Amino acid sequence: MPKLRIEIAATDQIEAKRVQSVYQRGERIIKLDDEATDEAWKAGYTPVGRPVFVGLTNGEPLMYRFDVPVETSVR
């Protein structure tokens, strides 16, 4: 299944590390999942599953990275 990489700006380094630890424990932050799904819709793709947190960027600005499974077939 194709995945769309979505990046969402983090508030600050401390919050980003907290968010990363939440996802590493297998928990979810619904607000961020919903934001990643909304970004996939805005990009013109239909999300077909929940976003998967894949980590943080290393640069400035610090970003959360999600892979969102999307539908790509044309009817």
Side-chain angles (χ1 to χ4, degrees), residues 16-70:
K17 294 296 182 183
R18 185 191 70 77
V19 166
Q20 185 176 28
S21 69
V22 167
Y23 279 101
Q24 286 175 340
R25 289 192 308 262
E27 299 172 10
R28 297 173 50 202
I29 298 176
I30 302 299
K31 181 180 175 190
L32 283 176
D33 287 357
D34 290 347
E35 191 172 341
T37 301
D38 290 345
E39 289 298 318
W41 279 109
K42 288 178 187 175
Y45 293 91
T46 302
V48 293
R50 75 170 216 191
V52 176
F53 180 78
V54 293
L56 301 169
T57 60
N58 289 327
E60 281 293 324
L62 191 59
M63 307 282 274
Y64 303 119
R65 285 186 174 164
F66 289 88
D67 282 341
V68 181
V70 294

